[in-house]
Amino acid sequence: MSSPTSPTGPVSPTNPVTPLTTEQTVDTFTRFFRERGHSLITGSTLLPPPGDPVLFTTSGMHPLTPYLEGRPHPLGRRLVNVQRCLRTTDLDEVGDSTHLTVFEMLGSWSLGDYGGPQSLRWGYELLHEGFGIPRERLHVTVFGGDERLGVSDVDTDSLHTWQDLGLPVELTHGDENWWSNGPTGPCGPDSEIFVWTGTGTGPDTTPQG
């Protein structure tokens, strides 16, 4: 891998990446996955079709649920999208430094094509080489199993992938790294990447809050 750079010179923990505009962020993300065989699909409207149990489109995967459940997508098995979302579940937190009501969610999707390890490797490559974020600022979490969810096994595929990439990994329990689409529907373990934006090289454990 080549060493990332930013408009202000070589990237390091003391020389963070210059902020990008929304257009630059979207272009970097979509171009990265299009170069890896993903088809860019048009985002859906904020109002779901009749019969949908929710009032608004709440995530990038929301309109893709039928395809994630097995229906063939006309544009293939590798997709990338930019989806406008509206959420009302965290209204009390809107206005702080991280929560918005309406936003655009960027997503890459494999419909039975490649697995989680490849997705994680590309995610790391996008952050480190595409956006130029120093690896010293990255910290990842992996599902460590939880009997309360009926799943006792550690997500070893994700764990080994991050270990191979040399990033610090923390195992979590409960629903911290367990994703679900409500009481029924797609669900399973997930892995998250945290980016330290403070001074220095960052904490040794997952940021709280």
Side-chain angles (χ1 to χ4, degrees):
M1 294 184 178
S2 59
S3 298
T5 60
S6 77
T8 58
V11 172
S12 70
T14 57
N15 181 29
V17 180
T18 299
L20 301 178
T21 65
T22 298
E23 291 76 13
Q24 289 172 323
T25 301
V26 171
D27 178 69
T28 298
F29 184 93
T30 55
R31 177 162 37 85
F32 179 90
F33 285 102
R34 292 180 73 179
E35 290 173 351
R36 288 155 181 79
H38 293 65
S39 297
L40 179 61
I41 60 176
T42 303
S44 299
T45 66
L46 280 178
L47 297 178
D52 197 297
V54 299
L55 292 176
F56 304 105
T57 298
T58 57
S59 68
M61 66 81 58
H62 184 170
L64 294 173
T65 299
Y67 306 106
L68 294 171
E69 293 177 338
R71 181 189 302 176
H73 194 283
L75 293 183
R77 301 171 68 186
R78 295 186 181 189
L79 308 174
V80 59
N81 68 341
V82 181
Q83 177 61 52
R84 183 177 296 179
C85 305
L86 193 157
R87 289 189 173 178
T88 58
T89 55
D90 51 6
L91 281 178
D92 291 340
E93 298 177 274
V94 170
D96 63 15
S97 61
T98 59
H99 290 83
L100 299 173
T101 302
V102 180
F103 57 93
E104 287 186 325
M105 185 176 289
L106 309 179
S108 61
W109 310 94
S110 169
L111 305 179
D113 186 51
Y114 56 86
Q118 180 62 76
S119 178
L120 298 183
R121 290 181 182 278
W122 276 339
Y124 167 73
E125 187 179 343
L126 171 65
L127 291 176
H128 184 53
E129 297 188 7
F131 290 114
I133 298 175
R135 60 183 292 125
E136 295 85 358
R137 289 179 172 266
L138 301 178
H139 180 96
V140 301
T141 59
V142 168
F143 180 70
D146 196 295
E147 294 289 353
R148 292 169 295 179
L149 296 172
V151 182
S152 59
D153 295 336
V154 174
D155 180 6
T156 54
D157 285 345
S158 296
L159 177 62
H160 293 162
T161 299
W162 291 126
Q163 289 174 335
D164 289 344
L165 290 170
L167 294 183
V169 184
E170 181 178 350
L171 295 179
T172 66
H173 304 280
D175 59 1
E176 288 297 320
N177 280 110
W178 182 264
W179 184 91
S180 66
N181 191 30
T184 61
C187 65
D190 62 53
S191 184
E192 295 182 322
I193 309 175
F194 292 85
V195 180
W196 176 248
T197 59
T199 58
T201 57
D204 295 327
T205 58
T206 309
Q208 300 298 310

